[in-house]
Amino acid sequence: LDTLAKHPDYQGRFAKEWLAFHRGEARRVAGDLNGAKEIWSTYLKGQPQPHVIRLAFIELLNQQKDYAGAWRANEKTPRSDALLAQAIISANGLQHPQAKTLRDEFALRLAQQTSRGDFVNERPIIVYWVDAMGNGPEGLRMAQESWKTQREPADAVLFAKFYRDWE
């Protein structure tokens, strides 16, 4: 991936974004968390828009309990549901005065989605219940439903996380 990132055929915006995400993700999975953060933060300095890279970077910072770093990286608004859930995790970790406002905003979004009949069993909602709100039973219920319908590895990780954190 590092070689491709330097190759002249891979210099378009979308190719660079794809490579930056996967180069960072490969390092994260291999345990080189600093390498992942370096790749993602460097890319975001030049291209602040890519949601997938911003989310991966902020999630990693929150997982490492670098709540201040995650908070700074997540200042751009409006936030997607996934970024809002991460903002709540950061604010909770920092005991930031905006934590309650952010939780209320997420709850309002969730209520609006539910009232419209939107499918609200998405990963950001599960992260909200488990990591941001500490509501393991609701997170477990949603993780089980998500696994039934989507069968994505990230859903299995959330399901397993429930057992680790709530057993």
Side-chain angles (χ1 to χ4, degrees), residues 17-135:
E17 184 177 318
W18 185 90
L19 283 166
F21 173 75
H22 288 288
R23 286 175 62 226
E25 187 64 6
R27 281 176 174 76
R28 185 193 66 78
V29 170
D32 180 8
L33 304 183
N34 289 331
K37 290 189 298 189
E38 178 64 29
I39 287 171
W40 290 333
S41 67
T42 299
Y43 190 82
L44 289 169
K45 287 176 187 167
Q47 293 290 330
Q49 298 85 4
H51 183 269
V52 69
I53 296 173
R54 181 167 302 285
L55 179 60
F57 181 58
I58 292 166
E59 283 178 339
L60 181 54
L61 292 172
N62 274 333
Q63 288 166 4
Q64 293 186 306
K65 299 187 183 333
D66 180 0
Y67 302 121
W71 182 259
R72 282 189 305 276
N74 199 2
E75 289 179 325
K76 186 178 177 184
T77 58
R79 294 180 181 105
S80 66
D81 288 350
L83 288 172
L84 181 56
Q86 292 301 314
I88 294 167
I89 293 166
S90 301
N92 288 346
L94 293 168
Q95 298 180 343
H96 196 283
Q98 283 189 321
K100 183 183 180 330
T101 302
L102 294 170
R103 289 190 300 266
D104 291 347
E105 181 182 342
F106 202 101
L108 177 62
R109 285 186 192 187
L110 190 55
Q112 289 170 338
Q113 290 172 2
T114 301
S115 71
R116 288 191 307 260
D118 291 350
F119 182 67
V120 295
N121 190 18
E122 298 171 339
R123 198 168 303 117
I125 311 279
I126 299 168
V127 169
Y128 165 76
W129 284 114
V130 174
D131 294 328
M133 299 303 292
N135 187 334

